[in-house]
Amino acid sequence: EQTVAVPDGWVNRLNAYLAFGDTYREEMAQARVQGWPHETLTGAHCHCMHDPHAVAEAVMDLFARLS
């Protein structure tokens, strides 16, 4: 429930969103509205520690979709 200061205009840059499970469904909805590539992996907050290979593949896929 905390916020982080971000630079102005950041939503207009190349962005993508990778979610682990449905914990961040509001953020995923925002990514959809912005038209960003997005993906959800089944997992929890620190899923990158449990399945780094799958997370890396998903990140690379999202990166490819940015181009």
Side-chain angles (χ1 to χ4, degrees):
E1 295 180 18
Q2 297 181 3
T3 59
V4 177
V6 296
D8 289 336
W10 72 272
V11 295
N12 298 320
R13 296 181 181 171
L14 290 177
N15 295 297
Y17 193 81
L18 176 61
F20 303 138
D22 65 349
T23 303
Y24 298 100
R25 39 185 179 273
E26 288 181 30
E27 290 81 358
M28 179 63 86
Q30 291 174 359
R32 284 188 192 107
V33 168
Q34 294 296 330
W36 300 347
H38 54 279
E39 189 66 50
T40 301
L41 294 178
T42 302
H45 177 71
C46 291
H47 189 64
C48 56
M49 304 296 278
H50 298 281
D51 194 356
H53 182 76
V55 173
E57 283 185 350
V59 169
M60 294 304 292
D61 178 62
L62 288 169
F63 180 76
R65 291 164 55 189
L66 287 173
S67 302

